[in-house]
Amino acid sequence: VQLQASGGGLVQAGGSLRLSCVASGRTFSGVGWFRRAPGKEREFVAVMNWRGEGKRYADSVKGRFTISRDNRDNTIYLQMNSLKPEDTAVYYCAASASWHSKIKEADFGSWGQGTQVTVSS
């Protein structure tokens, strides 16, 4: 699976961004977004299966971020609202060959190149 992420940028606190990730290649079952802030480990943001079911979010983004997909063009989205400076990070989309409700980062075998999100205070 090849993944191409885009949509990052610079935004003021309280603003919104929508990240996109176009997937191509073999089929996959789970998709997700992860992020790595400066000086920190990569962390989970949101996941769902390819049918759009089983959505799960990190507590830090719950109620502000929404993961979704458009199967017409194999695109995964991350709508980010009410952004905070602590959301500043490189955001990565990922895909997994299998899916289960407790899927974690190690289960994702395909990764996009990352897109930078910077939130100013």
Side-chain angles (χ1 to χ4, degrees):
V1 179
Q2 287 78 47
L3 302 167
Q4 182 71 37
S6 62
L10 173 63
V11 63
Q12 287 188 329
S16 298
L17 280 175
R18 188 175 78 159
L19 305 184
S20 301
C21 178
V22 179
S24 60
R26 66 178 186 271
T27 58
F28 45 91
S29 297
V31 293
W33 288 95
F34 298 79
R35 67 186 182 187
R36 176 180 280 135
K40 295 188 177 181
E41 297 290 319
R42 189 166 60 191
E43 66 176 6
F44 157 76
V45 175
V47 295
M48 67 179 184
N49 68 21
W50 185 241
R51 294 187 299 275
E53 302 165 342
K55 294 183 180 181
R56 184 158 49 91
Y57 298 91
D59 288 343
S60 58
V61 307
K62 209 171 289 184
R64 300 187 297 122
F65 290 12
T66 303
I67 187 172
S68 63
R69 91 279 184 260
D70 185 342
N71 282 351
R72 292 173 298 177
D73 55 7
N74 276 5
T75 302
I76 307 146
Y77 300 101
L78 184 68
Q79 177 66 44
M80 306 186 295
N81 298 329
S82 302
L83 282 161
K84 304 175 181 180
E86 51 264 43
D87 294 318
T88 294
V90 177
Y91 284 72
Y92 300 88
C93 58
S96 65
S98 60
W99 167 261
H100 58 88
S101 61
K102 297 189 186 305
I103 197 167
K104 54 189 184 301
E105 182 176 342
D107 296 317
F108 287 83
S110 299
W111 292 83
Q113 84 286 4
T115 184
Q116 176 71 47
V117 172
T118 303
V119 184
S120 62
S121 56

